[in-house]
Amino acid sequence: MIDHDRDTPGRWGVAKGSRGGAASPYGRGAWVGPGAKRFGVPVLIGSVVAAGLLGGAAGVESRAQPAGGGAVVASGPAAPTQITVNSTDGPASITAVAQKATPGVVTISASSTAAAGTGSGIVLDSQGHILTNTHVVTLDGQSAAASIDVRTSDGSVYPGTIVGIDPLSDLAVVKIDAPNLVPAVLGDSSKVNVGDTAIAIGAPLGLQDTVTNGIISALGRSISIASSAPQAPGSSNGNNGRRYRFAPPNGVGGSSPAAQADISLDVLQTDAAVNPGNSGGPLLNARGEVIGVNVAIASAGATTAGSQSGSIGVGFAIEINNAKRIVQEIIANGSATHGQLGAAVTSHPAEAGSQFNVGAEVTTVTSGSAAEAAGIQKGDIITGINGRSIQDADQLTAAVRDQPGGASVRITLLRGGRDQQMDVKLGTAPKT
């Protein structure tokens, strides 16, 4: 199962009180700067144990057995082996990344009359635009007009306004009016390799500026989860029964689960610890560049509307190259567009009863759609788009949604046992 990594008030409260004195900007409930608000940070009390391995070189005594038998002769200490390390990844680089990137990460508090919670965000520019997840600012779809507060890395808190949300990509842009913002550096997710260092910064469980590291575990993953588009009163996005799911809202007075449409996302997989509250924060490379937007985690066991699990080393981040286009459109227009094929598909198994899929089989073609105009037919098995292999229905949906409305793509499909290619001008998906 997949969990939204957004913190919930049942676990950590967000304390707000009257204005205090000139306490340290990093202290609990400090007031910093004109217009800044008090933002309480939960205190975690317990024991913390750190363990590590210290590697080193040492001489090794070797013994050789003569070929014809005889006495064993000690040859003495061996010369140290010369090792060349090409990668600069390591404790020093993690420290440098944390120092470089942390000023560009914020903590976001969203609240409504029905729910409240916290997530993370990425500073995009000095004008105050901040990238985060739709599920953070809509409280997993429970609120269309949540009250937003943003805490910057220096401890100051500012009111935020929602510039726009894009539920189909689970991305949103928030804006604050704050001085001296330090924008994050956006990288190129197309240059990421499996095994690269991956560093997450955010506010898991409300603990601001938490840094965790690991590697990129996989590329080109596609996950299907429930939409966080704001719902009508009395409903929520409901994720029960899905293989992949976001964490339940768990908001104060939250409603019972109800059916809600799925969305498919292209993601990077990482084993860097990502927990509730990391949502919307950056996944970084060893140069401190943002390569993904942390969005979801996998759970080893079942979760319910009243429970929430933590990291098991399987986290997911939306590729930053896909996020860049969405952000630009939201800032310019308040919303973003997505491609639409106009065909219903299902995952096509390699053979009867197999758990492995080898494409997306077209089950229906919508009249007047892009699929119909291109000549796609019921029974076609789509196996590729723009050179990318398509293994199942989720991958196809995510790949189409990554394109802007009206984009032209080349689709590879199997028809009657023969491969075919066709150019398709996509339609535009309706806004949710």
Side-chain angles (χ1 to χ4, degrees):
M1 292 175 291
I2 294 295
D3 292 342
H4 261 340
D5 32 307
R6 178 186 57 75
D7 197 13
T8 61
R11 186 71 177 267
W12 298 99
V14 178
K16 293 185 180 181
S18 59
R19 294 182 180 270
S24 165
Y26 297 96
R28 180 182 179 94
W31 286 86
V32 182
K37 296 182 179 180
R38 187 171 185 172
F39 197 104
V41 178
V43 178
L44 178 64
I45 301 175
S47 60
V48 179
V49 180
L53 293 176
L54 178 62
V60 180
E61 184 180 78
S62 62
R63 295 178 180 271
Q65 175 69 40
V72 175
V73 180
S75 61
T81 301
Q82 298 297 316
I83 300 175
T84 301
V85 179
N86 295 317
S87 173
T88 59
D89 298 345
S93 64
I94 303 300
T95 301
V97 168
Q99 292 176 344
K100 173 183 177 179
T102 296
V105 183
V106 300
T107 301
I108 298 174
S109 169
S111 60
S112 69
T113 56
T118 59
S120 303
I122 303 166
V123 178
L124 295 172
D125 54 40
S126 58
Q127 286 73 49
H129 292 106
I130 294 167
L131 172 61
T132 188
N133 290 134
T134 292
H135 77 258
V136 170
V137 298
T138 66
L139 294 162
D140 287 345
Q142 292 190 86
S143 176
S147 175
I148 305 296
D149 285 339
V150 176
R151 182 172 186 171
T152 56
S153 63
D154 67 0
S156 301
V157 179
Y158 302 91
T161 57
I162 300 174
V163 177
I165 65 172
D166 183 51
L168 288 178
S169 66
D170 197 36
L171 294 173
V173 175
V174 171
K175 191 175 187 300
I176 62 174
D177 184 9
N180 306 318
L181 290 173
V182 180
V185 178
L186 304 187
D188 183 352
S189 53
S190 70
K191 296 182 179 179
V192 174
N193 298 301
V194 172
D196 286 354
T197 292
I199 302 155
I201 303 180
L205 308 180
L207 301 172
Q208 185 177 2
D209 297 340
T210 294
V211 179
T212 58
N213 80 288
I215 63 168
I216 295 295
S217 304
L219 306 175
R221 291 284 196 235
S222 296
I223 59 173
S224 179
I225 38 70
S227 170
S228 288
Q231 299 301 295
S235 66
S236 75
N237 55 19
N239 303 288
N240 291 340
R242 290 181 173 88
R243 178 184 177 193
Y244 297 121
R245 61 191 293 261
F246 292 136
N250 254 8
V252 178
S255 55
S256 60
Q260 168 67 347
D262 284 353
I263 60 172
S264 296
L265 304 175
D266 273 336
V267 292
L268 302 172
Q269 181 181 327
T270 181
D271 69 348
V274 176
N275 286 288
N278 273 113
S279 272
L283 188 68
L284 305 142
N285 61 20
R287 293 180 296 277
E289 300 166 339
V290 180
I291 54 175
V293 183
N294 294 319
V295 64
I297 58 177
S299 299
T303 59
T304 66
S307 67
Q308 188 165 266
S309 62
S311 172
I312 60 168
V314 182
F316 301 100
I318 300 167
E319 297 183 26
I320 195 62
N321 285 12
N322 294 336
K324 288 176 183 177
R325 176 186 71 84
I326 304 299
V327 164
Q328 291 171 354
E329 292 190 22
I330 289 177
I331 292 176
N333 308 313
S335 62
T337 65
H338 295 272
Q340 179 161 288
L341 185 59
V345 295
T346 186
S347 297
H348 183 78
E351 57 185 32
S354 174
Q355 297 185 35
F356 296 105
N357 300 310
V358 292
E361 182 175 351
V362 178
T363 56
T364 59
V365 176
T366 303
S367 177
S369 68
E372 184 184 58
I376 293 175
Q377 301 174 9
K378 178 181 178 180
D380 288 345
I381 301 170
I382 297 176
T383 58
I385 180 170
N386 284 348
R388 170 186 173 180
S389 176
I390 298 297
Q391 297 178 354
D392 55 36
D394 287 344
Q395 274 195 328
L396 177 62
T397 302
V400 170
R401 292 287 190 258
D402 286 345
Q403 302 295 322
S408 294
V409 298
R410 170 154 288 194
I411 284 180
T412 303
L413 56 81
L414 190 65
R415 179 184 295 171
R418 301 180 61 182
D419 285 327
Q420 297 188 27
Q421 288 191 335
M422 55 183 61
D423 293 323
V424 181
K425 181 180 174 65
L426 298 175
T428 301
K431 292 181 172 61
T432 57

